[in-house]
Amino acid sequence: MSAVLRHWHPALIATLVYLLLCMLKSGPIKLVTGSSWHAWYDQSQYLRSTLALAQGDLSPASHWYPLLYPLLAVPFVPLLPGNPFLPLDLICVAMLVYALIRVAAHLGIGMRAALIILLLSIAWPPELWQAWVQPWTSTLSAALIWWLMARTGDLIVAQSPARPRDAAGFAFVAAMIPLARPADMVVPTTLCLSVAIILARRGMLGWRQITAALAAAAAPILGYAALHLAIYGAVPSDYTRLSMEIGTHFADLGWKMSILFVDPAPWFPQGTGLLTRIPWIVLGLAGSFFVLLRRADDSRRHSYAACLLLATASYIMVFAAYIDLLPTGLWRFNGLHYFKWLLPLLGLMAWLLIRDARAAPRYAIAVIAGTFLLTGLRLVAVPAGPDEPARRIDVIAPPNADWGTIYFARSATTDPAGPMRNVFEYRQVLDHGHIRLLALSRDFGPGIRWYPDGIAGLHWPQGGPGPTPPFTSPAPVAPVARWRTRLAWELPCWIGTCRAQHL
């Protein structure tokens, strides 16, 4: 027992520090009662589901989000009925810290450096710390992802063949991740495929390992399926239907990467690119290229790093393609929490670049220069002709509603290609007396018209935008300006050349 505690000692100390910082951020009373976030939609839905499960309430109306996070908080309801997620989050943080130390060791980074990197990567900027203090399903998902990455290292970096129980532990954690956050499935999928290919090439993957892995993965999946059937029956939940209705759009991935990471200003009047607000990400990006290009003496360690970075890149592309992830929501609605798990990994990559640059100066110079050039690319807005497709249109229609009502309104547009709904196919934002409409699923065609109060007969899924109060302008409304995209290179925003719009 003492050996186990000694092994977990750094993680437990880091978790205690996390708890103290939470108390400083929220105050002891609000931290225990959860009163600081009870009015927030996401968190209130988590709490509602947890309390319902604790009382045996399996009615669909009591459960909105995926069930694993609320379910795991049920044992803590008698202890902290106002915030049963606090003990669960503390366990998740301890797991994450322990796993991060193991991942760092597999990458050749010492424990002390790993803990410093973790602290810096979750504390800057302050909005990022808020993503860890409040209950989010991504806290559980982050712990599971890091635990899976640690087990990936156990299988890839280890010299001995994988035992069936090692494969089972890996698969069990992999199966848990989509039960916490279905969209995060891309990470375990990528890591599972990578591990299977690498072990198969080494002749270390046999039927015993495969059978153990499948059996271990089936256990949580079947248990979750039974709970889902008891609540919703053999149909998707309303949350799943809504997420599928919003969907992803990979054709415009370049534009989404530009507005999320570089500079949203030509398109969204509010919001800041991630690289502008968190400029050290650039060093992590350069470090990632450095690690991939510089083949160290240990080929197993290089393969392991490549697996982690492949999973990270896949995750970023999937989430960037998600239609509802926009610069406004990134900061105003704490959408930043989607990325909180991968920032410590980028911190580790940055450390490897700093530590090993003198040993491979040509690679270091090349990746720094390449990253500088890459992060200067962005898609800017230029006027579009009346017959050209447009990514953005501006309409003059002063509404009798606030920013949030306009942002979520059941407005619509129509053009020769058909109607488009706010939130699902395009997004509208207030901008100093006029409204910007941003196309998300396809460009606006010629003859586009905006219907502020919506179009009769359009389908709006459960949980979608609420009713729209009457606007002061009659419908339909023609645009006063049309804008299309153009690829350009300018000095990167992260060196301070772009405005930083804090929400």
Side-chain angles (χ1 to χ4, degrees), residues 5-217:
L5 290 177
R6 185 169 60 252
H7 209 51
W8 279 83
H9 190 250
L12 296 176
I13 292 178
T15 304
L16 178 60
V17 172
Y18 166 84
L19 177 60
L20 293 175
L21 291 175
C22 287
M23 293 175 65
L24 292 174
K25 178 70 177 179
S26 303
I29 296 178
K30 288 185 177 180
L31 185 64
V32 170
T33 63
S35 58
S36 61
W37 50 259
H38 278 181
W40 287 54
Y41 181 79
D42 290 355
Q43 286 70 24
S44 66
Q45 293 296 323
Y46 302 156
L47 183 59
R48 182 183 182 187
S49 182
T50 296
L51 296 179
L53 289 170
Q55 298 168 2
D57 179 3
L58 300 181
S59 60
S62 298
H63 306 279
W64 174 251
Y65 285 110
L67 301 167
L68 186 60
Y69 188 60
L71 178 64
L72 293 180
V74 168
F76 307 110
V77 169
L79 178 65
L80 295 173
N83 188 7
F85 305 105
L86 177 59
L88 176 58
D89 287 350
L90 292 175
I91 294 172
C92 290
V93 169
M95 289 177 57
L96 187 149
V97 175
Y98 179 77
L100 181 136
I101 293 172
R102 289 171 58 194
V103 170
H106 288 314
L107 293 172
I109 300 174
M111 181 183 68
R112 185 175 302 176
L115 291 175
I116 293 174
I117 291 167
L118 174 64
L119 178 62
L120 294 176
S121 61
I122 68 174
W124 179 22
E127 295 91 344
L128 185 57
W129 177 243
Q130 190 70 19
W132 287 99
V133 172
Q134 288 181 314
W136 291 102
T137 54
S138 55
T139 301
L140 172 60
S141 181
L144 293 171
I145 287 173
W146 274 91
W147 199 266
L148 183 65
M149 291 194 297
R151 286 194 167 271
T152 300
D154 296 340
L155 295 172
I156 294 178
V157 181
Q159 299 293 333
S160 57
R163 297 170 296 182
R165 69 178 186 181
D166 297 328
F170 173 85
F172 181 85
V173 178
M176 293 280 283
I177 293 172
L179 307 183
R181 285 179 52 82
D184 292 357
M185 185 185 299
V186 63
V187 176
T189 300
T190 305
L191 291 179
C192 286
L193 290 174
S194 299
V195 168
I197 291 172
I198 290 173
L199 294 183
R201 286 181 175 178
R202 295 176 183 172
M204 298 170 59
L205 186 63
W207 285 110
R208 292 180 61 198
Q209 289 89 347
I210 294 174
T211 303
L214 292 176

Side-chain angles (χ1 to χ4, degrees), residues 227-246:
L227 181 60
H228 179 97
L229 288 172
I231 295 175
Y232 304 108
V235 295
S237 66
D238 287 338
Y239 168 79
T240 302
R241 291 171 179 166
L242 178 62
S243 298
M244 294 174 64
E245 186 87 16
I246 294 173

